[in-house]
Amino acid sequence: MKTGVAIDLGTSGFRSQKVDLDTGEIKRTVVTMRNPLPGANVMDHMDFAINYGLGNAHKLVINAILVLIDRLGVVPEDLYRLSVCGNPIQLSLFQGIPIDDLAYAGERKREKLNIQEQNRESKQMKSSDIAGLEKFSNCTVIIPPAIKHEIGADALALIVNSGMLESDEIAIATDFGTNAEMALKAGGVIYTGSAAAGPALEGQEIKDGVLASPHAISDVEFEGDNIRCYVLDKEMKRTKADLVDPRTGAVLEQGDIRAKGITGTGVIALMEEGIRNGIIKLPKIQTDDGIIHLQDGVEFTENDIKEAGNAIGALRAGHITLCNAAGIQMADIKISHMSGAAGTYMDAKKAQQIGMNPYNAALLTQIGNTSLKTAREILLSDDRLKELQEIATKIVGTHVMFATDDAFKEAYILELAYWGEGMDFKMYKKFLKKKELPQLDDPIENPTVEKLVERDIPVFGDEGYEMIKQTGTFMSVAMPGCSECAEKIRECPTHAMSYRDDAVKIRSDLCDGSNCKKCLRFMPKPYSWENLVVEEPVSGSTVEAETE
């Protein structure tokens, strides 16, 4: 069988599928729970690549891909095509091309550093042209185009798969993930942007947060004063679970499924339900200990409200900014398309109630993982790749850079005040008007929800689905004879460090990257990130032991 592999290089994790190139049939799906690069967001990944070596970042990405191909059951001589899709940073790191032009938004800074913009058009290349993939001697690598260097193939996939290109309606499409790509169509023009929403919508940076996976709380509903939890089962389906007293955690009715944490969709549901039922009065939780207690000891704290609010606020500020660029009001948006894992599993109506979908959108569609779908399409069709390049070229001039846009800055300051400082919604709207920004109405009551897929990845293939808990990627710093190391590594807050074979080993997917770097303070010299070496990937039985 001639085999192809399609990969979504997501900021929160990689998703891959083995495909029969003769029939187009999906055979197997393997995903990682985390991205192999240190840190939980794209800014951390960029910082690591710039400050500690593009080569190191590239090798971590490639090593994770090698593990995925191994777990898909593909031998090198059978792999004929490999396609990827993702944001420009992930695609650049995959190829090993510089990302300086992505790191600096200001033109003066670029001129001062003599930064050259990289060519990110679609391409096909031999696997031997990408360091680390040389052993796949029969393989062609397919890379889709970016809309512009700041927003990439994943945003293009969102636009194409939402159907907004074929409609004259004013509509917005959002990938509810860490990098929050979004596109607004108004007056026949598509305006694109990308808000660094952060990892809270993926269940990270939340006290008991986990990525969407079996045994994660994905939804909650109040029954009187108590909370009913809904937990994902092995098939990633929402399953009725425990009824608990949110003030104490006492179980009033036990369900048949246990929980290990709460995912981003559960966080969104808890925020909406909590605000509506009064247990949350921003920015405080109205319990004796300031904690909402869920089943199996899972807790939601006031700091979690702040983290979730930062993410929700970035999304709504992004929507306001695109409307401002298009010269329309938020109330003019009648359709909201939701993609990504969070966009698939969250309750669309609850998301609208707290501002993640525009309040006046009468139709909410949930369309699944568009990035992996696009990777699979270009895996099977060169014509599809050419078509995407043509679309990307046509919409290149309508990108809004949020980092330098005054409307985004003003809107996001208001969001931070609303979620974290107790500003009421009436005052929020008053300041929007004062700043001459697009206005918000109150949420409509009964939007229509079209859930086009039950899972973000609708088809797993007859060889099954596997979620890998670790990417098999490690970095190390040689520390021969270090008598303190075994003790000091215990201070790592994410438990990413170990000491063996005279070296400090760091699991790159667990490392919190530039958001942390606590190890640089507590580890003895000569420990330094400048001395990091990326090790060969761990595969086979070692990764299998860590598999869900």
Side-chain angles (χ1 to χ4, degrees):
M1 182 180 75
K2 285 189 175 181
T3 301
V5 171
I7 303 177
D8 166 27
L9 302 174
T11 304
S12 61
F14 291 176
R15 295 138 181 109
S16 66
Q17 290 189 314
K18 178 170 71 171
V19 179
D20 184 331
L21 293 177
D22 292 324
T23 65
E25 182 182 2
I26 298 168
K27 304 300 292 183
R28 180 169 171 77
T29 300
V30 178
V31 305
T32 69
M33 287 191 70
R34 294 179 180 272
N35 189 291
L37 292 167
N41 60 65
V42 73
M43 300 305 292
D44 289 332
H45 300 167
M46 188 183 300
D47 174 83
F48 179 83
I50 290 175
N51 291 308
Y52 304 105
L54 175 62
N56 282 337
H58 168 73
K59 191 170 183 181
L60 286 173
V61 170
I62 295 300
N63 284 355
I65 287 173
L66 293 175
V67 171
L68 285 173
I69 293 173
D70 177 64
R71 299 308 303 162
L72 285 169
V74 179
V75 295
E77 57 269 26
D78 288 344
L79 184 62
Y80 281 82
R81 289 170 72 88
L82 171 69
S83 63
V84 293
C85 191
N87 67 51
I89 292 169
Q90 305 296 343
L91 289 180
S92 298
L93 297 180
F94 166 77
Q95 296 172 75
I97 64 177
I99 60 170
D100 304 68
D101 59 323
L102 304 175
Y104 301 102
E107 293 299 326
R108 291 182 182 177
K109 187 72 171 181
R110 293 188 187 204
E111 289 177 10
K112 182 179 179 180
L113 298 177
N114 193 29
I115 293 172
Q116 302 299 314
E117 189 166 320
Q118 299 294 316
N119 183 337
R120 293 187 172 86
E121 295 183 347
S122 62
K123 64 189 74 171
Q124 296 192 44
M125 55 204 305
K126 295 180 180 178
S127 60
S128 57
D129 293 331
I130 297 178
L133 297 181
E134 296 88 352
K135 68 179 180 180
F136 302 105
S137 56
N138 298 322
C139 183
T140 298
V141 177
I142 305 103
I143 299 170
I147 294 174
K148 197 180 179 186
H149 70 276
E150 299 97 340
I151 192 161
D154 50 353
L156 184 60
L158 171 66
I159 291 167
V160 171
N161 286 281
S162 69
M164 62 167 53
L165 293 176
E166 291 80 39
S167 171
D168 293 329
E169 294 273 8
I170 296 177
I172 198 162
T174 308
D175 184 343
F176 289 92
T178 304
N179 208 35
E181 290 81 11
M182 56 187 70
L184 169 71
K185 184 174 183 181
V189 179
I190 292 180
Y191 301 83
T192 61
S194 178
L201 299 182
E202 301 286 351
Q204 299 177 68
E205 304 301 323
I206 299 295
K207 177 181 178 294
D208 289 329
V210 293
L211 293 173
S213 56
H215 302 289
I217 297 172
S218 65
D219 197 4
V220 300
E221 291 179 356
F222 267 82
E223 296 181 9
D225 292 330
N226 303 310
I227 288 180
R228 172 72 67 183
C229 298
Y230 291 85
V231 177
L232 296 175
D233 65 11
K234 291 183 178 180
E235 299 297 321
M236 298 291 284
K237 293 181 179 178
R238 175 181 179 272
T239 304
K240 188 176 180 179
D242 292 0
L243 180 69
V244 299
D245 182 337
R247 290 161 179 81
T248 65
V251 179
L252 306 176
E253 180 185 315
Q254 191 169 67
D256 296 328
I257 187 168
R258 307 276 38 94
K260 64 182 181 183
I262 184 168
T263 192
T265 61
V267 168
I268 297 308
L270 186 56
M271 291 280 282
E272 191 278 331
E273 289 273 327
I275 292 170
R276 182 158 50 86
N277 287 276
I279 199 170
I280 296 176
K281 291 185 178 178
L282 295 174
K284 299 293 184 180
I285 293 174
Q286 306 301 303
T287 62
D288 291 341
D289 57 2
I291 295 172
I292 296 177
H293 299 268
L294 303 173
Q295 75 172 72
D296 297 312
V298 176
E299 296 178 343
F300 189 76
T301 70
E302 290 176 352
N303 187 64
D304 293 335
I305 289 179
K306 178 183 175 182
E307 292 291 343
N310 289 345
I312 298 166
L315 286 165
R316 184 159 59 186
H319 292 168
I320 290 171
T321 303
L322 291 185
C323 286
N324 187 67
I328 66 171
Q329 297 297 324
M330 287 282 283
D332 294 328
I333 301 175
K334 302 304 180 185
I335 302 174
S336 181
H337 303 289
M338 309 167 65
S339 80
T344 301
Y345 295 118
M346 74 173 65
D347 185 307
K349 292 183 179 180
K350 291 174 182 174
Q352 185 175 50
Q353 289 294 315
I354 60 172
M356 296 175 67
N357 282 311
Y359 285 155
N360 289 78
L363 174 62
L364 312 175
T365 72
Q366 295 176 283
I367 58 180
N369 185 318
T370 56
S371 185
L372 182 59
K373 181 174 183 285
T374 296
R376 193 169 60 250
E377 289 173 349
I378 63 175
L379 182 78
L380 295 170
S381 172
D382 291 341
D383 289 339
R384 184 56 165 163
L385 184 65
K386 293 177 183 177
E387 181 183 4
L388 291 177
Q389 180 61 65
E390 291 173 1
I391 295 170
T393 302
K394 289 178 183 177
I395 61 177
V396 72
T398 55
H399 179 72
V400 182
M401 171 61 81
F402 291 169
T404 58
D405 191 275
D406 289 338
F408 182 83
K409 294 174 186 177
E410 296 285 2
Y412 194 50
I413 287 171
L414 294 178
E415 289 290 340
L416 294 178
Y418 175 74
W419 294 103
E421 303 296 333
M423 174 188 281
D424 64 34
F425 192 56
K426 185 180 292 185
M427 183 64 70
Y428 179 105
K429 292 198 291 183
K430 181 179 179 180
F431 273 99
L432 279 179
K433 187 174 183 179
K434 183 178 180 180
K435 298 292 184 180
E436 298 183 345
L437 293 172
Q439 301 296 293
L440 298 176
D441 288 337
D442 292 328
I444 63 173
E445 291 188 4
N446 293 303
T448 298
V449 177
E450 291 185 358
K451 198 172 180 67
L452 303 182
V453 293
E454 287 299 317
R455 298 186 301 231
D456 61 320
I457 304 175
V459 179
F460 290 153
D462 55 18
E463 294 179 17
Y465 167 89
E466 186 173 24
M467 177 175 284
I468 300 174
K469 288 185 177 179
Q470 64 155 300
T471 61
T473 53
F474 287 85
M475 307 178 294
S476 65
V477 178
M479 298 282 286
C482 178
S483 59
E484 299 178 68
C485 286
E487 183 66 27
K488 289 291 185 180
I489 60 173
R490 296 178 184 178
E491 297 184 39
C492 174
T494 59
H495 309 291
M497 303 174 73
S498 60
Y499 181 71
R500 58 184 187 275
D501 301 327
D502 283 335
V504 174
K505 313 278 187 178
I506 304 173
R507 251 186 71 178
S508 67
D509 58 332
L510 286 185
C511 176
D512 214 12
S514 60
N515 187 48
C516 177
K517 292 187 179 178
K518 290 183 174 67
C519 58
L520 298 179
R521 297 195 295 271
F522 64 70
M523 288 298 293
K525 292 183 178 181
Y527 180 87
S528 169
W529 275 33
E530 280 76 12
N531 298 328
L532 283 173
V533 174
V534 176
E535 299 187 346
E536 293 304 308
V538 177
S539 59
S541 60
T542 303
V543 171
E544 185 176 9
E546 292 289 334
T547 302
E548 183 79 45

